[in-house]
Amino acid sequence: MTQNFKIAAVPAKGKVYTVGNLKYKVTKSAYKNGTVSVSAPAKKTLTSVSVPATVKIGGYTFNVTAIGDKAFNGCTKLKKVTIGSKMTTIGKQAFNGCKVLTSITISSKVLKTVGSSALKGISAKAVIKVPAAKLSAYQKLLKGKGQKASVKIKK
């Protein structure tokens, strides 16, 4: 009895893969606990984006831990964003110029950094929902990232 096996190579660091409606860049290549960052939407015309906690690329599961610099820059039709539970970093100008973006839900309790101007140009009526346990920490973290003072951060 003979069997043939096909062994898929682990996606390499720095490579970009499109899965669903997002493009992911591999930031740590590994069989287990590899990480990726969201580099861009597959189409600039998306109205709603859900960034998952994990993504499967080439049969391997990667943790989605970052949204890259300028990832959604200029996505003028984007209204709603949901951010997964393993997110640690939101890059500079990540949502810059998303002028109709009114709803951001952050499920992550491990968010550490938010780049400058990450929320510049989002809707003045925007509401950012964060985990209740992290409300005050995230209010400080998200302060002065380019959004108007009328943008609410709540649990």
Side-chain angles (χ1 to χ4, degrees), residues 64-122:
V64 182
T65 58
I67 294 176
D69 294 353
K70 298 186 176 179
F72 297 99
N73 189 12
C75 290
T76 52
K77 292 182 168 51
L78 191 61
K79 291 180 183 159
K80 184 175 191 247
V81 174
T82 306
I83 296 172
S85 62
K86 297 189 191 283
M87 191 64 56
T88 59
T89 308
I90 296 175
K92 294 193 287 267
Q93 300 178 352
F95 298 104
N96 187 18
C98 299
K99 56 183 181 247
V100 294
L101 182 55
T102 53
S103 168
I104 299 174
T105 304
I106 300 174
S107 328
S108 173
K109 291 182 181 164
V110 291
L111 192 64
K112 299 271 185 288
T113 53
V114 178
S116 60
S117 302
L119 303 172
K120 188 173 185 185
I122 68 170

Side-chain angles (χ1 to χ4, degrees), residues 12-15 25-29 34-37 62-63 65-66:
K13 183 177 178 179
K15 285 236 183 203
K25 185 177 184 180
V26 178
T27 50
K28 179 183 163 206
S29 180
T35 60
V36 294
S37 69
F62 286 86
N63 290 331
T65 58

Side-chain angles (χ1 to χ4, degrees), residues 9 125 142:
K125 296 183 182 117
L142 295 165

